[in-house]
Amino acid sequence: MRQNKVSLTFFGHAAFQLETEEFRILIDPFISQNPVCLVKLEDIKKVDYIFITHGHGDHVGDAVEIAKKYNSTVVATFELSTYLSKRFDISTHPMHIGGRFEFPFGVVKMTPALHGSGIVEEDGNIIYGGNPCGFVISINGQKIYHAGDTGLTTDMKLLADEGIDVALLPIGGNYVMDIEDAIFAAKFVSPRKVIPMHYNTWEIIKADAEQFKKRLDEINIECILLNPGETIEL
Ligand code: NI
Ligand code: MN
């Protein structure tokens, strides 16, 4: 039995869970309103940390409810962290683009993303949510890059030297990279494995993940397609 395993679960869209023997981490926990998520919010187990890439509803998701239930720490940009802690009285850890911090489970670097981060209030007004971001999360010897919502950017070339094990890349187009651009992103980041995300949640971000996998296979980059609810061991 491997001591250092990390279980990665895909909930659909950009929502993932990382689990070790000691820690449970969620990234962009869009659960209850996520049309492709098979897991119910009440089935989410105790969470230690919640990473949020930006202020859009399909990424903040159920973070507040989960954080309140389990007293989890929410990690986000300074602006989004401040908004969430003042508004909802949850504990947060603010970071910012380019910053690295050593958490009890491992080191995290906040990376740039090319997108928005506005928070839509109930009345439809948009609150400034700072910059969107991605995360490089090191845990139990695995380096996982969650790109967040982003267009293709040459900043991703800087990640090639990070030695990323698994890159979670959006492929759904319209709001984020499509398959063509995500292939460039995979080449830029040069990870051991790629898992596509942010597609087929709605018609507007429909993408053929099999085709993405085939294209990556042709350039010798391993691609793993996960169905919502699926777990793999890293
Ligand atoms: Ni977004
Ligand atoms: Mn999104």
Side-chain angles (χ1 to χ4, degrees), residues 88-101:
F88 299 107
D89 193 28
I90 56 175
S91 58
T92 57
H93 178 111
M95 291 182 71
H96 232 303
I97 308 293
R100 218 187 274 272
F101 186 80

Side-chain angles (χ1 to χ4, degrees), residues 13 54 56 58-59 115 149 198:
H13 203 55
H54 62 293
H56 295 166
D58 55 323
H59 298 262
H115 194 68
D149 276 6
H198 212 277

Side-chain angles (χ1 to χ4, degrees), residues 88-124:
F88 299 107
D89 193 28
I90 56 175
S91 58
T92 57
H93 178 111
M95 291 182 71
H96 232 303
I97 308 293
R100 218 187 274 272
F101 186 80
E102 189 168 353
F103 289 89
F105 60 84
V107 175
V108 174
K109 185 177 186 184
M110 185 176 270
T111 61
L114 210 55
H115 194 68
S117 185
I119 303 152
V120 183
E121 287 285 82
E122 275 148 37
D123 59 10

